[in-house]
Amino acid sequence: MKVYNKLVRDKIPEIIEADGKTCKTRILSNEEYIAALEVKLNEEVAEYQQDKNLEEMADILEVLQAICVARGYSLEELEVMRAKKASERGGFVEKIFLESVE
């Protein structure tokens, strides 16, 4: 038996069982869910930093969207906030690296 104790995507138990194995799962409370999502976000960011590929970027986005909804925001609200900040402060398109301020 291998112990994971981590949040997984919704279809993972089905995939495990289709492989002829059994798994034990439980449904998290809202508080546990948000905490597990935040741990998952750190895990996915670390995987992206190691592999730097599109799949890991997609995983980060999936977790961020889930955190947004779990905290009571809509994805539309998230996009509005992103666009507002981009409008007011800019994005990262111009590759500006601030070295110092006097």
Side-chain angles (χ1 to χ4, degrees), residues 12 21 29-30 34 44 54 59 68 82 94-96 100 102:
I12 295 301
K21 300 175 184 170
S29 70
N30 288 339
I34 290 171
E44 297 301 350
L54 189 61
D59 288 344
C68 179
R82 186 212 59 78
E94 295 181 23
K95 306 174 192 170
I96 298 169
S100 64
E102 287 186 28

Side-chain angles (χ1 to χ4, degrees), residues 20-92:
K21 300 175 184 170
T22 8
C23 60
K24 182 179 176 189
T25 63
R26 69 182 177 92
I27 304 302
L28 300 175
S29 70
N30 288 339
E31 281 184 11
E32 290 173 311
Y33 177 55
I34 290 171
L37 279 168
E38 291 173 354
V39 168
K40 180 62 88 174
L41 179 61
N42 289 331
E43 175 188 314
E44 297 301 350
V45 168
E47 289 174 5
Y48 166 73
Q49 288 173 332
Q50 180 178 346
D51 298 336
K52 302 206 182 347
N53 64 38
L54 189 61
E55 184 177 349
E56 297 305 339
M57 285 186 248
D59 288 344
I60 292 168
L61 184 57
E62 187 77 32
V63 174
L64 280 174
Q65 289 176 341
I67 290 170
C68 179
V69 172
R71 290 198 172 273
Y73 303 107
S74 70
L75 298 181
E76 293 77 22
E77 287 173 301
L78 178 62
E79 176 53 25
V80 165
M81 180 59 69
R82 186 212 59 78
K84 179 178 185 268
K85 289 194 78 168
S87 173
E88 292 173 358
R89 302 179 66 91
F92 297 96

